Amino acid sequence: MISPERSPSQSPRAPAAPAAGAPFLSIYVTDPVKMGTGVQAYISYRVITKTNLPEFEGPEKIVIRRYSDFEWLHDRLAERYKGIFIPPLPEKNAVEKFRFSKEFIELRRQALDLFVNRIASHPELKQSEVLRVFLQADEEKMDRARSYETGIFKKPADFLQMFKDVQSKVSDVVLGKEKPVEESTPEYEKLKNYIFELENHLAEAQKQAYRLVKRHRELGQSLAEFGKAIKLLGACEGDVMEKVFSEVGSKSEMLSIKLQREADNLLFNFEEPLKDYVRAVQSIKATMMDRANAFRQHFDLDQERKYKELNLEKLKFMNPEKYAEAESEFRELKADSEEATKKFEHIVRLMNEELARFQEQKTADIGLAFHEFAKGQAKLAKDIADAWRSILPKLEACSTSQV
């Protein structure tokens, strides 16, 4: 039993509706459809954009997208917005036999819907050109954008940088350089420990939530089978026993349906939000890796600058002929070093802002997930108690009459 498809405006985790006349950008990922057959099969989605922002082509646009298009959007944002926590995508792969199940498709649709709406609500990401391409380009233009950005038409400068990166790594191995220095301040160490602990605890909570879903489904299935069995037993007995046992069987089957519904509620509104935040923490770790790379570049260039600055002073007196050339190289290196320092400091500043936003959103989302969990469990417990309580008088009367 699968929860019905909901638009972002109906989702418990969707952003609040804008005030009348205020700028807005709302995105709806709807209508998943299986395309193709065999190993070439995939799911396409209608992506509906509604907005009053002037940089968009009109108030409403509908395009068809597949998972790899969402992946393209994610990767381009990750490349261009270092220091920002890019909203996570749902997992790329699934067990083949479940890949096109209704449950998996709906879970992925909701996760993709959440992904694009998080981007649309982010103060920086919502202004990106790649988001507008994703939301507005027709399929032909989208294919061209993906081909150009993902490697078919790589720019020469990209190949040059790739060659330099590989050359540097090979040199490090050959020369036996020590492990690159890492940023180590008490505040950052505390942050790293928190992120790793948060990931572990969220993953464990999500695992236990999955077990709750599984147990609700198993109990629901057992009650359905018990209901059928007890009805057959009553038919065998006849008279009063048949009527009472039939009612017990009907209550069991009714509770089976309620348990299956609560299992779906747990899956979509409790386990999935926890899994989503496991993915979100992995996005934070990816940003931390960008920060580590920026710090190493800043540190290495700063060390090289200091070293060449000392050599430049020596060269000024020992070899004046080469001084002018060395001074020009030093100025270029100094500019690169200052740029690397600015880049690192920019990432640090963005990360601090992102962490504050993440904590606020996490508190709201996880709090809502646990509220939905408690509310569902309380209602289920009441329904179970009411169902069994309603037939106690008949069972007591039946047992008394047999004495």
Side-chain angles (χ1 to χ4, degrees):
M1 186 177 298
I2 306 302
S3 299
E5 181 178 315
R6 295 178 298 187
S7 69
S9 61
Q10 297 169 307
S11 170
R13 292 188 281 162
F24 72 91
L25 174 59
S26 298
I27 306 165
Y28 305 80
V29 179
T30 66
D31 302 330
V33 176
K34 183 179 178 182
M35 308 292 288
T37 58
V39 295
Q40 300 298 322
Y42 64 92
I43 300 296
S44 70
Y45 307 87
R46 292 177 77 217
V47 179
I48 305 169
T49 303
K50 296 183 179 182
T51 184
N52 60 0
L53 298 177
E55 56 266 33
F56 283 80
E57 295 173 359
E60 182 171 319
K61 184 75 174 182
I62 299 176
V63 295
I64 302 299
R65 296 290 179 256
R66 56 188 293 185
Y67 180 86
S68 55
D69 296 321
F70 290 86
E71 193 174 33
W72 172 85
L73 173 61
H74 176 278
D75 292 348
R76 298 295 78 72
L77 292 173
E79 288 172 0
R80 301 179 187 194
Y81 291 88
K82 303 295 185 183
I84 289 178
F85 302 158
I86 307 302
L89 282 169
E91 290 78 3
K92 181 175 183 178
N93 297 315
V95 179
E96 183 63 29
K97 67 177 181 178
F98 298 128
R99 193 158 66 100
F100 297 110
S101 69
K102 289 183 178 179
E103 182 177 283
F104 176 78
I105 290 172
E106 177 58 15
L107 282 170
R108 172 169 278 191
R109 184 202 67 77
Q110 289 193 18
L112 293 174
D113 187 293
L114 185 61
F115 165 71
V116 290
N117 276 282
R118 278 179 170 164
I119 294 171
S121 64
H122 192 282
E124 293 290 332
L125 300 180
K126 70 180 180 182
Q127 301 178 45
S128 66
E129 174 63 25
V130 289
L131 177 62
R132 291 195 291 275
V133 170
F134 174 84
L135 295 176
Q136 299 180 123
D138 59 33
E139 291 182 64
E140 183 180 347
K141 289 181 180 177
M142 189 69 207
D143 286 342
R144 283 205 304 269
R146 285 177 52 196
S147 298
Y148 182 82
E149 295 277 1
T150 55
I152 295 179
F153 302 110
K154 282 276 188 182
K155 292 177 286 187
D158 294 332
F159 286 113
L160 182 61
Q161 185 59 49
M162 288 168 59
F163 175 75
K164 287 181 178 178
D165 291 343
V166 172
Q167 188 180 49
S168 175
K169 290 176 182 178
V170 171
S171 298
D172 288 350
V173 173
V174 173
L175 297 176
K177 287 187 178 180
E178 295 182 1
K179 182 181 177 182
V181 66
E182 294 184 358
E183 180 186 1
S184 181
T185 63
E187 294 81 6
Y188 194 51
E189 288 299 318
K190 183 178 178 181
L191 171 62
K192 287 192 288 186
N193 290 335
Y194 167 72
I195 292 301
F196 283 104
E197 285 186 11
L198 179 63
E199 181 180 33
N200 290 335
H201 295 322
L202 281 170
E204 181 63 24
Q206 183 266 321
K207 183 173 75 173
Q208 298 305 326
Y210 169 76
R211 289 180 177 176
L212 281 172
V213 173
K214 185 178 179 182
R215 287 172 185 171
H216 277 66
R217 286 180 173 165
E218 289 172 347
L219 181 55
Q221 183 62 36
S222 296
L223 274 172
E225 292 170 358
F226 172 73
K228 293 175 183 176
I230 206 68
K231 283 182 176 180
L232 291 173
L233 177 60
C236 177
E237 293 292 335
D239 299 330
V240 177
M241 293 288 284
E242 179 178 6
K243 185 175 181 181
V244 174
F245 279 23
S246 176
E247 189 165 352
V248 171
S250 296
K251 293 292 183 184
S252 297
E253 290 169 345
M254 179 269 290
L255 290 175
S256 168
I257 295 172
K258 288 183 178 292
L259 276 158
Q260 295 293 351
R261 286 176 178 168
E262 180 55 22
D264 287 341
N265 178 55
L266 281 173
L267 176 64
F268 284 92
N269 297 319
F270 188 56
E271 189 215 342
E272 185 60 23
L274 290 173
K275 184 187 287 186
D276 175 64
Y277 267 91
V278 173
R279 295 190 290 253
V281 172
Q282 291 168 354
S283 293
I284 295 176
K285 289 170 68 176
T287 305
M288 292 170 70
M289 182 63 70
D290 290 336
R291 174 170 172 164
N293 291 335
F295 176 79
R296 288 167 191 159
Q297 186 177 25
H298 145 72
F299 180 86
D300 290 345
L301 286 172
D302 188 57
Q303 292 297 106
E304 187 178 359
R305 178 190 62 78
K306 290 176 181 177
Y307 174 76
K308 289 201 171 183
E309 190 172 22
L310 290 174
N311 284 347
L312 191 64
E313 289 299 317
K314 294 177 183 178
L315 199 64
K316 186 175 183 179
F317 298 102
M318 298 178 64
N319 196 340
E321 295 177 358
K322 293 187 176 181
Y323 177 76
E325 181 182 350
E327 185 181 32
S328 176
E329 291 177 357
F330 174 75
R331 282 198 301 268
E332 185 177 336
L333 175 62
K334 184 179 179 182
D336 290 344
S337 176
E338 290 172 350
E339 182 62 30
T341 300
K342 288 179 182 178
K343 180 180 177 181
F344 169 67
E345 292 174 346
H346 179 67
I347 288 178
V348 171
R349 179 181 61 79
L350 285 178
M351 271 195 69
N352 290 336
E353 295 173 359
E354 290 291 291
L355 281 166
R357 186 181 294 111
F358 170 78
Q359 293 287 31
E360 182 180 355
Q361 192 64 51
K362 174 172 64 69
T363 299
D365 289 344
I366 299 298
L368 178 60
F370 274 90
H371 177 267
E372 290 293 309
F373 167 72
K375 185 172 70 172
Q377 293 295 293
K379 185 179 185 305
L380 179 63
K382 182 179 183 302
D383 289 343
I384 291 173
D386 289 347
W388 294 131
R389 190 180 294 113
S390 69
I391 60 172
L392 280 177
K394 294 178 182 179
L395 287 170
E396 289 172 357
C398 179
S399 62
T400 302
S401 67
Q402 299 301 316
V403 176

